Amino acid sequence: MAELPRSNPKKAILSAVVAGALTLGFAGMMAKSCAAPAKQQPEPANPALEMVDSLASRLVLGLDSDATLQYATPSGAIVTVSQSAPRRAYRSAGVTYISTPDGTYLCTTGPAPSPAKGRKPVTPPVTCQEGPGADTMSPTEAKAISVAFGGEFMAPEAALGRLATIAQGQEVRSGASKRGDAQCVSVTASGIRTETACVNPAGLLAYFQGTSDAGKTTELILQYSTPSVSDEAFQPPSAAKAAAKK
């Protein structure tokens, strides 16, 4: 089987700067941490990044909780997210992406062959690529997830990473708002249109409008969530079927 991109496990708790590293790159974050002390090189205040950091601190709580969520994408496709740290799974009608410490799987469902006359419909074939396990998300995996779903979807922490990236641009402007009971932050910079992320009181990404890790303009809307998840959610489609037959 072809291997998926390897993820570098890290156990640091997510912050907006860490989330921003999903698109800026971990090397840039490390260079910043090795710079001279703040007293020698004071950095100007960045209200936009502080707002994103505050929103990311809410998301941390959600990422650490068990949950099943459903997001609607611009094409009308539904992506179901299952999370039980450090395990994560993302599913649509034809794509499954699972990431656990034991292995990473990208499974796609092909078109079903035409059944012979008088026979029952044939089950569509499922093809899976297996990669090494991961306990946190790397920039490479964040992009792989987005690409797997046609560029319309991105992982919740990657959405905050996108805003953190914009907040470190030029001529940055930001604002706060509400979407239902969710707290929202909007950020724009020179040459970049306004992008928005909203996190609800449960710490779940409720809304995102902006650019995915695959470079495609997208909009994610949380349609459903429940504070529970099944272990079967983290099994590849073929493994789940085999377990069901036992």
Side-chain angles (χ1 to χ4, degrees):
M1 293 184 182
E3 283 198 356
L4 298 177
R6 180 177 293 274
S7 177
N8 295 322
K10 292 182 181 290
K11 296 184 179 180
I13 296 178
L14 175 70
S15 68
V17 176
V18 175
L22 288 172
T23 43
L24 287 174
F26 289 109
M29 185 181 70
M30 291 303 294
K32 181 178 178 181
S33 68
C34 295
K39 290 184 179 180
Q40 296 181 29
Q41 293 185 353
E43 294 186 4
N46 188 334
L49 192 57
E50 290 175 359
M51 291 176 69
V52 176
D53 181 70
S54 177
L55 197 65
S57 67
R58 292 176 173 232
L59 189 69
V60 170
L61 301 177
L63 292 174
D64 283 341
S65 64
D66 288 1
T68 302
L69 311 89
Q70 287 186 349
Y71 288 98
T73 65
S75 67
I78 300 298
V79 177
T80 299
V81 179
S82 304
Q83 60 181 46
S84 180
R87 300 178 300 171
R88 307 181 306 277
Y90 313 88
R91 281 183 167 83
S92 67
V95 178
T96 296
Y97 192 108
I98 299 172
S99 182
T100 75
D102 297 324
T104 305
Y105 305 89
L106 171 58
C107 302
T108 55
T109 303
S114 299
K117 187 176 181 179
R119 297 296 184 90
K120 294 182 179 179
V122 180
T123 301
V126 177
T127 302
C128 293
Q129 301 175 45
E130 183 176 357
D135 58 10
T136 58
M137 188 179 299
S138 71
T140 301
E141 185 177 33
K143 183 175 181 180
I145 291 170
S146 187
V147 170
F149 292 91
E152 286 196 327
F153 178 76
M154 65 193 305
E157 54 266 55
L160 269 294
R162 172 64 183 172
L163 261 62
T165 300
I166 298 172
Q168 298 179 68
Q170 301 295 320
E171 299 179 15
V172 176
R173 299 182 300 280
S174 59
S177 60
K178 298 278 285 187
R179 184 181 174 91
D181 62 353
Q183 182 67 44
C184 305
V185 170
S186 299
V187 183
T188 187
S190 178
I192 302 176
R193 67 179 184 82
T194 301
E195 302 198 13
T196 303
C198 304
V199 177
N200 66 20
L204 307 176
L205 182 71
Y207 179 78
F208 174 75
Q209 184 179 56
T211 305
S212 72
D213 290 284
K216 186 173 182 178
T217 299
T218 191
E219 180 181 45
L220 303 178
I221 301 174
L222 179 63
Q223 293 192 324
Y224 167 84
S225 67
T226 181
S228 62
V229 64
S230 168
D231 283 338
E232 290 185 359
F234 307 106
Q235 296 180 1
S238 56
K241 290 177 182 178
K245 293 179 180 179
K246 291 182 179 180

